Amino acid sequence: MSTGHGALTRRMVLLGGLAAAAGASLPWPTGAVPWGSGDPFTLGVASGDPWPGGMVLWTRLAPQPLAEDGRGGMPRRAVPVQWQLAEDERFRRVVRSGTAPAVAERAHAVHVEVDGLPAGADFFYRFRVGPYLSPVGRTRTAPDPLAMPAARLAVASCANYANGWYTAYRHIADEHPDLVLFLGDYIYEYAARTGDVRQVQGPVTSTLATYRLRYGQYKRDPDLQAAHQAAPWMVTLDDHEVQNDWAAGLGERGVGGPGFLARRAAAFEAFYEHMPLRRSSVPAGPRMQLYRRLDWGRLASFHVLDTRQYRSRLACGLPSCDPVRESPRRTITGAEQERWLLHGLASSPATWQVLAQQVIFTYLDRDPGPATNFSADDWNAYPAERQRVLRALVRQRVRNPVVLTGDAHQHLASDLRADLTDLDSPVIGSEFVGTSVSSGGDGSDHAEHLRRAIAQSPHVKFQSSRRGWLRCELNGSVWRTDMRVLPYVSRPGAPARTAASFAIEAGRPGLQTL
Ligand SMILES: [Fe+2]
């Protein structure tokens, strides 16, 4: 593409200018590259999982990101990739640099863990191979463990490329949050369908090559790249990174077996290859450690959950299924993660205890009449574990619990009560469900089938079926969430607006409408 070549040329000219300006401070070689020619940084750069002394820097070499074999146009040999981290955008004050191998077994992805940096500080980073220089990303370290800085978060999920443009990602980039939380459905596994706004390539993803190709296509999107370049991300996955509605060893419609586990292993490998995750999340076959905790000083603890890998099978949502649904043996996190979560909630000193996770937590009966109809896939299908978590929040006097949720393709703002089925029990926390970046297409202010059901749910304070994201601003005394929405995603360039805003005061549970 001629535009790609133009961008490359500009970057190379810029590099020349910088090298001249910085004298001999860029001792990078300019030899031949082993793939012939072509910019290898077509998928952008990313950073993630910051801690007080550092963060993960990511890129993947793919001069031909749409090559059908999923190899991105790279040869089988390993390629050394140079990286730099600087205090300034022009890389005059480089504070760390090094070389990391990009190996074919990992699709020539690079994950660099930089350490020993000052806490709570901004940095810029870039990569280089031969004459090719990557775009520059902005990142930051987490605050000092004793600090209580204000923070700005963007919360996003569900970015079906075929359903619409990534306008929400562009707005997130423009707002420069401190951290982006991505709560699942970064890709969708489906093949192209009639009526798609944008065409995906390739079949339904099921092998390593097809998952890699899908990420290659998604990550070429300039709005997505801009959002990664703007801030570090903390990512988790949901179902569509593997297959719709998968649950532990079972795929869609409960079909399991070795075929599904092989698919899960391929999906996990491709997810790791394309995300700024730490070494602790390197997959081992069909297993990957994704639940983890990230502390933002004394301001917030983010308990990032994995509600897919260890869950009991889906239950049907109808009353006839209640004996199964309500079984205390059912789990959405697995016993080990549940213990880890409850222990972490009890021991963290942070003001805001945040569950960053996939599926709706609050009580939501989707039947507008006297009957009940629960999702078979969210916490309403695992009510015994949900009640154990709520009891622990009360018993352990957990400070200011906030649940952040993806998956639902709608904004919801709800209060959480000690007993979700008893509207007289005390409010103990709140949940914000962030709608989708693009999944579901343009959407509307309300989904009619949910409007009447939600009218009967006084703990639900707000609902919207528009596309968008959550913008959260928090300090030691107040959490504010703006429900950001877009009028359309079927065309690029939609303006964003705030459909509703809520505040929570620390020490005083419950949503306040602003
Ligand atoms: Fe989704």
Side-chain angles (χ1 to χ4, degrees), residues 295-420:
D295 291 312
W296 206 257
R298 281 194 306 118
L299 180 69
S301 252
F302 299 102
H303 310 268
V304 185
L305 303 190
D306 176 347
T307 61
R308 285 282 159 201
Q309 205 176 162
Y310 317 101
R311 64 158 74 188
S312 313
R313 66 186 307 148
L314 304 197
C316 115
L318 299 173
S320 57
C321 307
D322 279 356
V324 175
R325 199 176 64 84
E326 289 169 4
S327 162
R329 294 214 174 132
R330 285 174 57 71
T331 173
I332 192 168
T333 61
E336 196 178 314
Q337 183 179 188
E338 185 180 333
R339 275 195 299 277
W340 167 88
L341 172 63
L342 300 190
H343 177 75
L345 287 167
S347 52
S348 164
T351 295
W352 302 99
Q353 296 296 318
V354 184
L355 274 64
Q357 57 97 47
Q358 292 80 11
V359 290
I360 289 180
F361 187 89
T362 199
Y363 181 90
L364 193 60
D365 169 13
R366 289 158 197 259
D367 189 294
T372 56
N373 181 8
F374 299 110
S375 164
D377 190 55
D378 67 24
W379 285 79
N380 286 280
Y382 304 84
E385 183 179 2
R386 178 172 61 187
Q387 201 52 51
R388 285 198 296 275
V389 172
L390 288 165
R391 272 200 302 273
L393 294 178
V394 174
R395 189 179 61 238
Q396 300 176 162
R397 293 198 181 84
V398 172
R399 305 177 73 195
N400 306 303
V402 177
V403 182
L404 299 175
T405 301
D407 178 61
H409 306 179
Q410 56 176 315
H411 276 316
L412 288 175
S414 313
D415 278 332
L416 301 175
R417 292 177 185 275
D419 178 347
L420 292 180

Side-chain angles (χ1 to χ4, degrees), residues 158 185 188 240 407 409 439:
C158 294
D185 292 356
Y188 280 67
H240 290 287
D407 178 61
H409 306 179
S439 304

Side-chain angles (χ1 to χ4, degrees), residues 3-83:
T3 50
H5 182 72
L8 166 65
T9 304
R10 277 193 304 279
R11 284 218 297 276
M12 293 176 73
V13 167
L14 177 66
L15 171 65
L18 281 175
S25 71
L26 276 173
W28 287 354
T30 54
V33 289
W35 59 89
S37 65
D39 183 356
F41 297 110
T42 57
L43 307 183
V45 298
S47 69
D49 273 15
W51 61 94
M55 75 294 287
V56 180
L57 308 179
W58 173 93
T59 193
R60 179 190 160 203
L61 308 180
Q64 295 165 41
L66 302 184
E68 273 183 25
D69 61 8
R71 291 208 201 104
M74 291 295 290
R76 287 192 176 277
R77 56 167 282 198
V79 176
V81 178
Q82 290 160 310
W83 58 271

Side-chain angles (χ1 to χ4, degrees), residues 440-487:
D442 286 343
S444 62
D445 285 332
H446 297 281
E448 198 47 48
H449 68 283
L450 274 168
R451 189 208 284 269
R452 284 191 299 146
I454 282 165
Q456 298 173 24
S457 307
H459 57 289
V460 179
K461 308 295 183 193
F462 178 77
Q463 193 273 341
S464 166
S465 299
R466 296 253 178 231
R467 307 288 74 87
W469 74 101
L470 301 175
R471 180 172 66 195
C472 305
E473 294 178 6
L474 42 154
N475 58 37
S477 52
V478 181
W479 175 299
R480 177 195 172 107
T481 296
D482 297 319
M483 319 293 279
R484 303 284 281 161
V485 297
L486 303 167

